[in-house]
Structures are given as C-alpha cells and as structure tokens.
Amino acid sequence: MKKVDFNENWSFKTKDREPVELTLPHDAQLLDGRRSDSPGGSGHGYFVGNIYEYEKYFEAPAEWKDSHVEILFEGVYRNCAVELNGKKLGEHKYGYTPFTFDLDDVLNYGEDNVIKVSADNSKLPNSRWYSGGGIYRPVSLVIGGKRHIAFRGVRITTLDINPARLRVQVDADEGNISTDIVKDGVVIANTCGNDSEVVIDNAKLWSEDTPELYEAVVTLECDGQIVDEVTERFGIRKVTWSNKGLFINGVNTLLRGGCVHHDNGVIGAASLPESEWRRVRILKEQGFNAIRSSHNPASTAMLEACDHYGMYVMDEAFDMWYVRKTKYDYGMDFKECWRSDVRAMVERDFNHPSVIMYSIGNEVSEPGKPDGVKQGKEIIDFVKSIDSSRAVTGGMNLMIMSNYAKGKGQYDNVDKEQAVNKDDDGKSKNASLIFNTMATFIGPGMNKAGNSDKVDKLTTPILDALDIAGYNYANGRYPMEGEKHPDRVVVGSETFPYELGKNWDMVKKYPYLIGDFMWTAWDYIGEAGLGAWSYTGGMPFNRPYPWVLGGAGVIDILGNPDASAGFAKVIWHITNKPVIGVRPVNHPGVRVSKSVWRGTNAIESWSWKDCDGNKAEVEVFADACQVELLLNGKSLGRKKIKDYKAFFKTKYSAGELTAISYDENGNKIAMNSLHSASEAGVCIVPEKEKYEAGDIAYININIQDKDGIVESNADRALKVYVEGGELLGFGSANPCTKEDFTKGEYSTYYGRSQAIVRKTSNDVCFIKVSSGNEEQVKKI
C-alpha cells in the first residue's frame, strides 16, 4: 500500500461562504474570525464555530479496478461525515486521530468521482483551547493490490540491541512475504514470513544524539507476481525504565521536555508538514530533547520530524474521558469511541522511534473514584495489547482527582454551565476557567496539594497502574516518592517554567524522576492570556476580547525564543554563556499584571527606541557563582547567582549591555552582549535561500538594522502582497489584538512579524511589504 497525495483541488464552503478552491490542509475556523461574544470564549481565543463542507472531483483510472483503494484522513475537526458518489462511507467524531475508508465498492472507474466531507465544529465550547476546524491535517489515497498488505500492517520491534535483533510482523493477505532491511539505499538484511526475526550486524542505533533511520521494504508475492509493496521507516532503539531511571539503548536519559499544542501560529491549526518539521527543528536547537503532545495525538508529520531530528515524544490520547471539561467536547463520545481512537494512535505510532511513551489522558478527574481507576486500567491494558514495548503514562493532577473524590470536582456541572455570561462582560464561565483561575492564585501551592497521606492513598491505584507516573504541578511529591513508593518511576508531565531550575535539580538528584515537561515550550492560540504578563491590567487568565494567545510559551508562535528559553538552556547546560533578559522598558510607570505560568516577560533585546532614561529591569541567567553587568562599558555591579539567575535595575541607555559570569574563585567563565539597533526599517528575511514550486516559505518581516538587530519599540502596521504564490497567513506574536491572520494586514510586535507563503510555480515569486508610503520587495 502506497500513499498518494490527495490535498489539491478541493472546494470549500459554509452556509455563509461561497465555494472557494483550496489546497489542504487548512484551518477553516480561522476564516470566520473572532467575536467578543463567541460561545467558545477565551478558551477558543474568541474564534467562532461553524459547519464546514468540502468537495472534490477526481478521476479513478480504469486500472484501479485491479487495486485496493482507501482514503486516509489524518485529522478532521470534528464530527466528520464522508460520502463518495452519494454513498455515505462513514463518520469519525474525534478531531485528532487518523481514519480511513475503503473506496473499492463505490468508485466509478475510468470516470469522474465526487467525494464530500462535512465537519461540524458549530457547538462551542468543545475544547479548552483553540482547536481549529475542518480538514486541518493532510489527506491521502492509500493504494495497493487487491491482495495487499494492510495499511499500517507492518510492525517492527527492536527485541535486542547487542547485537540488534528485530521482529517483523506483517498483516497481509495470503502469499509470500519478503522484507528487505535497507540503510542509506543499501539492502543489509532480509527476512521472510509474516512474523519473523532478523539480526542486524553493527547496527546504528536511534537516539536523540544519533537519529539513525532504516527502511523495511516489504513485498507480497502471489503466483510469482509482486502484488503489493510497503516501505516503512523505523529506528533501532530499546527503551527501558525502572526506579533507576529511563534508559535509551542502555544509556540513562533525562527528558528536557516541553508541552506543545497542535496549532501552527499564523496559519492556525493547519498541519503543514513544513510547519511541523520547522517547529521540531527549532525546539531541538533550543535544547529540548522531548515533546509532550498536549493534549491529543500528534500529527504524523510531527512524528516524522521527531524521528529525523532525534526528539523523544510522549504522545497523548485525550484531554478528557467521560467527564466533560467543556459542554460539547469529546467526553460526549468517549465511551463509544475511546477504543478505536486509542488503536488509531498506537498503530500509527508503532514504528516511530521517537515515540517512547503513551499518555492515556491529561488531568482527568475520574481516577479519584473506583470507576475511574477501572477505566484507566482498561485503557492501559488496551494500549499494552497493541504495543507492549513502550511505557504508558498520564498527566495526572493530584488536586483534581482529590477534589473529584470529595464531590467537589470542577468539571461536575459542565452540563449546567453557560459558555457566555451576558452579565459579565461576555467572559466565558466554564469549569476549566475556574480551575485555571484558581491555579493562578494558588500557584506553587498546587504543587503541594498532593503531599498528604490521604491524597497519596487516593491516587496510588491509578499512579501504580501506570508504567511511569506523570505528575502535573506536583513537584512537592518528588523528594518523598523514593521512600513512599520505592518502585515508582515519575516524570514531571506538566510544570511551571519559572520553576525549571528547582525541578531540574531534582531530576538530576532523584534517579526515579526521569524528566520535566514545562508548560509550554511553544506558544499557542486560545486559553487567552494564560501566561501573558499584561500592562493593561486584568486577571491573568480568561482575559477579555481581543486577547487571542495563551502567552505561556518560551518560544512565541513565530518561532522566536524569549529569555525564558535562554533560562532553560542555561539550566540544561546547553550554553555556558550568560543569557541577558530585559523586561520591556517601553511602559514607564505602568504596573504589570503577572501570571504564574510565566516567570518573566523578558526578551533578549537592548534596543528600545525613544526609551532613554526609562526604568530597565534586567535578568541575567547563568550557571555560575556571580555575574557582572556592564552598560556601555560601565559596571553596574556584581551579584550572586541564585536559582541560576540574578536581577539588576538600571535606566535604559542605548548602546551595549554586557554580562560576564564568574566561578566561585572569581575566574571569568563567559560573557554575552546585547546591542541597540542603528537606523532600523522594514526588512524581509526568508528562512531559506531558494524555494521550488509547491514549497512553503517562512518569511520573517522585521523592523531591523543593517546588522540584523531587531528594534523592539518601533512597531508598524504592515500590508503584505504576494505575486506568484499564495499567502497562507501573516501576523505577529501579539497576544492581544483585533488583527486577523488571514487578511494580509498586521502590525509587528516587538519588531517582528511573519508571513507564510506557498510558492505556486517555478516562475519568480515576489513578496511585497508596504508600510505607509514605503514598500519593500523580495524575490523568493
């Protein structure tokens, strides 16, 4: 079975929108814009819902009569129904798992066919964050012989690594099965049969440092003819775990992890392969070696990128079980669909070496009661029945389970909630909001909520059923687990980024604590204002319209790391240089409202036009004893490093800001500097030098000087035009704006914006950017 791209030449419409031609994947929810009275409220970033309708005409060649054809949807949000030539193929309710339909008995061979897809995303809220809508992940045809190898019917398991010994299982119709193991285009081994083993001499093992990949080319032969062929990419690696740690190929491995939502910034939830690969590459460059797909299965493209770059993955199945967290979410379908959706995730993930553990859910309250523990164990057993080679975990919030057990669960009355309270300025009122608001004020106290013997006894049944106990905001438990539960393996599945230093010290100290996943590695749409620091006041969660972004990511939606990302690199020993973070100096005298999900709003910039004399707060992050800060060559003093950071106050003066770190003997370790921009203007900066037809171009449009220094206090409203290409999205990382990613007009934020363009032909493609009477043009 071979995948054939099926993304071009679709027609899209809604009840209010005339049909338009487009290429998938795309995010339909972006197109209807945002309203202050959206039923989805701040969780959805004030975007509205709709019913999306797609249609495609295509020819089925006559030779397909002798083939087997399926259609593969990698993700449709949500409540999807598909029909071909007027016949209903089926439905799929969950928005995050792949699904297929058999087309053999419905195709019109040698003539036109029409496939229609509808997705019902009209009832909000149906998620705690921005979900996007429609066919937001790729679509393919999967074609093989009438007698064929089942789609995802090849499974490769690493049984041993010294020497490497593989088990190859093939689900296929009767015939002769042969498998070639290929490395860099060369066949290095062969095995036969639908369940066989093969030894690979001198195998190159897959890990974060050596992401070596192989291919298994499997053929099915009948009556002397090859009737089907499948190529599966895989890695040879062995994952084991115990209270002594997590071991990849026998090497003790600590997870430098970050949680990520699934949207891709200015193109919304559209899962373009180029976008997923770019995100994983940037995360790896910033020192992360692990991703938690929160809180739904990752896209196939993201897993392929993780395989390529060497990024470990905790792939998560659900945000909820049968207790709904929002009024119209998947909890309505959980009991009917969870088995098929878990199967879809696990079977899809099986050959991806990057996936080292499955998460069965995030902050589900149900295991606070016996029925919920039973449900959790059913899911665990079901995962193990399909794949016993990986660990099973879950993002468990001990406070949530404890409250549910006491009859005070914040999700208990979701049926009675109104998504919008008209008497409260249009702000949404839901259970998730109540919890997150409470967490904002409780903050670190939530980390201690699970420390009592009573909570420990209550949560032990589900935690001990997991291979690895995932703790969301429960780092108070870390030191005591070695004594209370000596056989337990623990991972910080969700933590506050500002506590990374303390958490990472414990990861290094306690063998049973295998890693930490901060919330979040990459910013996202929805949960508006969760982590944002605001100069306009208000409660640091559920911020009112026009807030749109969560504001919690240490990397913004454009892919730009802030000073918190540098803080992590220091703690993880990715860099020995001090990192200089500057809190925005362009709000003199204004008190900032903070969020517990963000330790600082500092960015690595000393370029603040027209701010001379303003108060400047500078944070220096370093793995050192002391740090000295110099402004234009004049020392501002030395300070001791505590929890990897030191804090300075000064007045802004354009020029050079330098930090020098010292060891305990006063010896210089390293230095780093920030510089102010000279004369800055609009600059178009494509991320690659050359693009071919069909390529996706990421183009940064910044206010910067001739040396590439971005000016943080000279933002402009920009308009973008594209000739020879399609503008897929344009915007900035401003968390609070009425601007629209789909309109081609947006203002820079701290000097940065980004356009994403699909080049449509091999002819010249130009991007034009205008600001007032000025215009810049760039050929791509």
Side-chain angles (χ1 to χ4, degrees), residues 600-622:
T600 181
N601 65 341
I603 62 175
E604 293 186 64
S605 173
W606 192 247
S607 191
W608 302 89
K609 185 179 180 181
D610 300 327
C611 289
D612 285 63
N614 286 2
K615 175 183 175 182
E617 297 177 313
V618 180
E619 297 171 85
V620 181
F621 307 119

Side-chain angles (χ1 to χ4, degrees), residues 271-279 301 694-698 758:
S271 182
L272 302 178
E274 294 89 344
S275 303
E276 306 287 30
W277 279 65
R278 176 181 181 268
R279 175 157 50 170
D695 286 352
I696 303 298
Y698 271 77
R758 177 184 285 115

Side-chain angles (χ1 to χ4, degrees), residues 266 701 718 720 727-732 740-741 744-746 753-755:
V266 303
I701 305 172
L718 305 178
V720 171
L727 181 64
L728 301 178
F730 172 56
S732 74
D740 189 323
F741 294 140
E745 300 181 15
Y746 225 92
S753 65
Q754 185 178 83

Side-chain angles (χ1 to χ4, degrees), residues 436-587:
N436 285 298
T437 302
M438 180 171 59
T440 295
F441 292 106
I442 294 175
M446 184 165 54
N447 285 319
K448 301 176 182 178
N451 290 6
S452 72
D453 289 340
K454 186 175 182 180
V455 174
D456 182 37
K457 182 178 179 180
L458 172 73
T459 57
T460 286
I462 190 63
L463 295 176
D464 280 354
L466 297 165
D467 295 313
I468 297 173
Y471 289 171
N472 282 20
Y473 309 108
N475 62 10
R477 284 282 291 265
Y478 296 168
M480 61 182 67
E481 293 300 59
E483 181 178 343
K484 282 182 174 279
H485 302 281
D487 294 327
R488 186 173 290 177
V489 188
V490 176
V491 66
S493 45
E494 189 169 321
T495 62
F496 295 120
Y498 77 92
E499 293 191 306
L500 180 61
K502 176 174 70 176
N503 290 340
W504 195 249
D505 286 345
M506 288 191 282
V507 169
K508 292 187 291 185
K509 180 177 181 180
Y510 302 116
Y512 51 82
L513 181 60
I514 64 170
D516 175 272
F517 288 82
M518 68 171 71
W519 190 268
T520 58
W522 198 283
D523 203 20
Y524 55 95
I525 305 172
E527 290 194 306
L530 168 74
W533 285 24
S534 172
Y535 292 93
T536 58
M539 186 175 60
F541 188 84
N542 190 47
R543 295 194 186 274
Y545 179 84
W547 282 82
V548 60
L549 303 182
V554 301
I555 301 172
D556 71 20
I557 64 165
L558 310 186
N560 300 305
D562 66 9
S564 296
F567 180 47
K569 290 171 78 171
V570 166
I571 292 167
W572 293 331
H573 308 293
I574 303 298
T575 180
N576 72 335
K577 288 185 177 181
V579 173
I580 307 171
V582 180
R583 296 183 182 179
V585 303
N586 55 349
H587 301 279

Side-chain angles (χ1 to χ4, degrees), residues 276-277 280 293 298-308 311 313 315 345 348-349 352-355:
E276 306 287 30
W277 279 65
V280 174
S293 177
S299 70
T300 300
M302 173 169 274
L303 297 186
E304 290 172 346
C306 290
D307 293 343
H308 175 84
M311 183 75 77
V313 178
D315 208 7
M345 179 183 77
R348 190 275 310 267
D349 290 3
H352 287 285
S354 56
V355 179

Side-chain angles (χ1 to χ4, degrees), residues 177-461:
I177 297 170
S178 176
T179 301
D180 289 336
I181 305 299
V182 179
K183 178 64 176 166
D184 300 327
V186 178
V187 177
I188 60 171
N190 177 271
T191 185
C192 296
N194 63 358
D195 192 346
S196 61
E197 293 184 12
V198 60
V199 174
I200 309 297
D201 295 323
N202 303 313
K204 296 181 179 180
L205 304 182
W206 187 97
S207 71
E208 62 176 289
D209 297 319
T210 58
E212 299 282 351
L213 294 173
Y214 289 75
E215 289 182 333
V217 180
V218 184
T219 56
L220 175 65
E221 183 180 296
C222 299
D223 302 323
Q225 299 286 326
I226 294 177
V227 296
D228 201 11
E229 181 177 286
V230 169
T231 299
E232 276 292 316
R233 189 166 292 160
F234 68 97
I236 300 173
R237 63 103 181 90
K238 188 77 172 175
V239 183
T240 57
W241 56 92
S242 71
N243 59 358
K244 298 291 189 279
L246 174 72
F247 298 88
I248 308 294
N249 302 325
V251 177
N252 196 350
T253 301
L254 305 180
L255 301 178
R256 306 185 302 273
C259 300
V260 296
H261 269 317
H262 72 291
D263 76 74
N264 278 307
V266 303
I267 56 171
S271 182
L272 302 178
E274 294 89 344
S275 303
E276 306 287 30
W277 279 65
R278 176 181 181 268
R279 175 157 50 170
V280 174
R281 172 180 57 79
I282 291 172
L283 287 165
K284 191 70 184 286
E285 290 170 352
Q286 291 302 313
F288 291 90
N289 72 349
I291 290 172
R292 177 187 178 210
S293 177
S294 45
H295 304 291
N296 45 259
S299 70
T300 300
M302 173 169 274
L303 297 186
E304 290 172 346
C306 290
D307 293 343
H308 175 84
Y309 286 112
M311 183 75 77
Y312 303 121
V313 178
M314 177 197 298
D315 208 7
E316 191 153 75
F318 309 115
D319 184 46
M320 73 295 291
W321 292 350
Y322 50 80
V323 174
R324 280 175 277 167
K325 294 183 176 181
T326 59
K327 192 169 185 178
Y328 300 108
D329 68 27
Y330 177 75
M332 302 172 70
D333 310 308
F334 177 83
K335 290 188 176 181
E336 174 190 352
C337 299
W338 75 262
R339 287 181 182 272
S340 61
D341 287 319
V342 168
R343 179 179 294 281
M345 179 183 77
V346 176
E347 289 185 345
R348 190 275 310 267
D349 290 3
F350 195 96
N351 292 329
H352 287 285
S354 56
V355 179
I356 60 171
M357 65 180 87
Y358 302 112
S359 169
I360 62 172
N362 170 68
E363 295 190 342
V364 289
S365 53
E366 290 91 332
K369 297 180 180 179
D371 284 350
V373 175
K374 179 182 178 182
Q375 177 67 76
K377 289 180 177 180
E378 282 185 27
I379 302 174
I380 294 167
D381 290 344
F382 188 67
V383 170
K384 293 289 189 181
S385 72
I386 306 169
D387 183 359
S388 61
S389 68
R390 291 172 170 91
V392 178
T393 186
M396 298 296 170
N397 188 301
L398 311 187
M399 185 174 75
I400 285 178
M401 289 189 286
S402 175
N403 288 342
Y404 183 68
K406 293 184 290 188
K408 298 178 180 179
Q410 58 267 27
Y411 303 125
D412 288 352
N413 298 310
V414 72
D415 276 338
K416 301 175 184 178
E417 295 170 359
Q418 295 298 318
V420 175
N421 184 336
K422 297 293 186 181
D423 298 324
D424 192 20
D425 300 323
K427 297 179 182 180
S428 61
K429 294 295 179 185
N430 57 55
S432 178
L433 165 62
I434 293 169
F435 169 70
N436 285 298
T437 302
M438 180 171 59
T440 295
F441 292 106
I442 294 175
M446 184 165 54
N447 285 319
K448 301 176 182 178
N451 290 6
S452 72
D453 289 340
K454 186 175 182 180
V455 174
D456 182 37
K457 182 178 179 180
L458 172 73
T459 57
T460 286

